[in-house]
């Protein structure tokens, strides 16, 4: 009665084979080559901030301008970094990932269209 996401279905696209295709592997590698280093870098920056806030009170309370101290500046820079990384990723995805994904999508859509036409002929 219900359909399972893991149920074996006959169809024009074999997604397991597509996942093993060189194009998909290249797309996955391109994605990982960006995401993993950037995520590690951001986490290191975040944990540095947390550790300094927890253990370097004197350093973090140094006044920069008026009542603005290093701790507040670094806290605000966490937000700036988050928005910067998001902008960077969108730009990267538009330039590198989307064209690769489009090639895969077009091939799959063509396969589906061809299978649909073949079924209608029968």
């Amino acid at each position: 009665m219900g359909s399972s996401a893991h149920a074996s279905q006959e169809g024009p696209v074999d997604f397991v084979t597509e996942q093993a295709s060189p194009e998909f592997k290249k797309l996955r590698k391109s994605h990982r080559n960006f995401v993993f280093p950037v995520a590690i870098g951001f986490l290191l920056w975040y944990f540095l901030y947390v550790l300094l806030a927890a253990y370097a009170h004197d350093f973090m309370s140094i006044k920069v301008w008026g009542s603005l101290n290093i701790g507040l500046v670094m806290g605000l820079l966490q937000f700036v970094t988050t928005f910067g990384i998001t902008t960077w990723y969108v730009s990267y995805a538009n330039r590198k990932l989307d064209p690769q994904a489009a090639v895969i999508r077009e091939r799959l859509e063509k396969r589906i269209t061809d299978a649909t036409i073949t079924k209608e002929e029968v």
Side-chain angles (χ1 to χ4, degrees), residues 98-114:
D98 290 350
Q100 293 177 41
V103 169
I104 296 168
R105 183 178 53 249
E106 287 169 9
R107 184 179 69 237
L108 294 177
E109 287 173 351
K110 183 178 182 326
R111 204 170 284 162
I112 290 169
T113 303
D114 292 348

Side-chain angles (χ1 to χ4, degrees), residues 63-74:
K63 301 285 184 198
V64 176
W65 182 63
S67 62
L68 191 65
N69 61 28
I70 290 178
L72 287 171
V73 170
M74 288 181 72

